[in-house]
Amino acid sequence: MSNPIIINPKHIAIIMDGNGRWAKAKGLPRAFGHKKGMDCVRLTVEACSEKNIEALTLFAFSTENWNRPEEEVGYLMKLFLIMMKSEAQKLNKNNVKLRVIGDRNRFSDKLKKAMLDAESLTKNNTGLSLNIAANYGGRMDITKATKVLCRRVAKGELNPENITEEILQAELALSDLPEPDLLIRTGGEKRVSNFLLWQLAYAEYYLIDSYWPDFDKQMLDKAIISFSLRQRRFGKIL
Ligand code: IPE
Ligand code: IPE
Ligand code: MG
């Protein structure tokens, strides 16, 4: 039997969950799970580039993750800084365009600068669009967009009656990219945890019990095959 034709998603979004439990199961501190998780980020970026996927958006830190112990938050910030500094050249070499989405105000000046540097180094690249969601929340994203439109209304530039879904969407993160069509969540939970609430409206969900630090190319392939077999109806009857 011939292999079915695989249709790649255009935009894969991933909730990289289960780092802490992965470490705990091995009797290690949670930080080890986060560190090992970085290797999986590298391999996923590589695999998506090889498959010519247009965009990959990774949930790295939610607006709610500040509520974790200071030590864990501090460690995650340290990892972000290392990642931004050490990976930028490699991403650039691989034609990857990096963008960080979320509110950066709470990050250190050093981290803000490293993010800007990595983004500007890779801004003209034409390969995979890699978006890292850091201090990102879907509700925050929609709230910010609403504020932008309200300011325009207040200035008299926009009539509230003329606000459409497209006008609001244009102010949301990733509005210049195709909507995520495949959402992968590792770690066994079956929830969206305030990720791209608007943008995921019609994404296909693929939930994996394995923890993020065990994620590999085979799991990615399986997710893409599963996506490829889905019948997407968008509310219509086929
Ligand atoms: C995901 O893994 C990484 C972040 C949220 C930063 P977790 O740290 O949530 O790991 P679990 O879910 O507690 O195992
Ligand atoms: C979602 O994981 C956020 C990230 C993966 C960055 P959480 O571990 O924070 O989500 P909950 O608390 O299980 O919903
Ligand atoms: Mg978690």
Side-chain angles (χ1 to χ4, degrees):
M1 211 176 78
S2 62
N3 283 332
I5 297 164
I6 308 279
I7 299 165
N8 274 344
K10 286 194 166 80
H11 184 168
I12 302 178
I14 308 184
I15 302 178
M16 309 183 290
D17 195 26
N19 293 353
R21 282 166 287 160
W22 179 89
K24 197 177 167 205
K26 293 189 152 32
L28 299 167
R30 291 175 60 85
F32 282 74
H34 296 312
K35 190 158 186 289
K36 176 70 176 36
M38 288 228 313
D39 297 339
C40 301
V41 168
R42 282 188 206 98
L43 82 82
T44 305
V45 171
E46 227 177 75
C48 288
S49 275
E50 282 165 13
K51 290 177 190 296
N52 291 320
I53 305 278
E54 204 174 318
L56 172 67
T57 300
L58 301 174
F59 203 8
F61 193 88
S62 76
T63 46
E64 289 73 46
N65 288 147
W66 295 107
N67 299 318
R68 295 187 176 199
E70 214 179 297
E71 194 193 335
E72 179 165 346
V73 172
Y75 185 74
L76 286 166
M77 294 301 138
K78 207 172 94 182
L79 278 188
F80 287 147
L81 187 62
I82 293 172
M83 190 84 175
M84 287 296 147
K85 285 193 161 175
S86 67
E87 297 299 308
Q89 297 291 346
K90 195 174 143 206
L91 292 175
N92 192 36
K93 223 179 79 203
N94 293 332
N95 199 20
V96 175
K97 182 176 178 173
L98 176 87
R99 184 189 319 184
V100 179
I101 61 166
D103 183 357
R104 299 183 201 187
N105 286 325
R106 259 178 101 166
F107 296 152
S108 69
D109 289 344
K110 251 196 203 161
L111 181 53
K112 280 186 224 163
K113 182 174 182 307
M115 286 173 168
L116 273 178
D117 288 349
E119 284 173 332
S120 73
L121 180 70
T122 62
K123 72 172 191 291
N124 295 322
N125 290 343
T126 54
L128 176 74
S129 277
L130 170 64
N131 311 296
I132 305 289
N135 193 20
Y136 176 85
R139 287 178 176 175
M140 183 190 74
D141 197 2
I142 296 168
T143 306
K144 271 178 146 177
T146 306
K147 272 189 199 163
V148 172
L149 298 194
C150 287
R151 276 189 218 111
R152 268 196 239 152
V153 168
K155 278 196 214 155
E157 292 168 5
L158 179 65
N159 179 346
E161 298 310 317
N162 295 337
I163 295 175
T164 59
E165 290 183 10
E166 289 71 27
I167 288 177
L168 181 60
Q169 176 156 2
E171 303 306 329
L172 294 171
L174 311 178
S175 62
D176 56 325
L177 295 173
E179 279 183 6
D181 39 7
L182 171 61
L183 171 74
I184 299 173
R185 180 169 188 149
T186 59
E189 310 298 353
K190 297 172 178 63
R191 52 179 173 255
V192 74
S193 298
N194 198 16
F195 197 23
L196 301 156
L197 298 179
W198 174 293
Q199 297 87 336
L200 289 170
Y202 267 101
E204 296 295 329
Y205 283 34
Y206 186 83
L207 307 170
I208 311 178
D209 284 333
S210 303
Y211 299 135
W212 175 250
D214 286 326
F215 189 75
D216 60 21
K217 290 189 180 180
Q218 282 72 37
M219 291 184 205
L220 180 66
D221 286 343
K222 274 176 80 176
I224 292 174
I225 291 169
S226 170
F227 169 82
S228 194
L229 297 171
R230 307 271 177 101
Q231 191 188 53
R232 307 188 77 204
R233 288 192 288 277
F234 300 99
K236 292 181 255 181
I237 295 170
L238 292 181

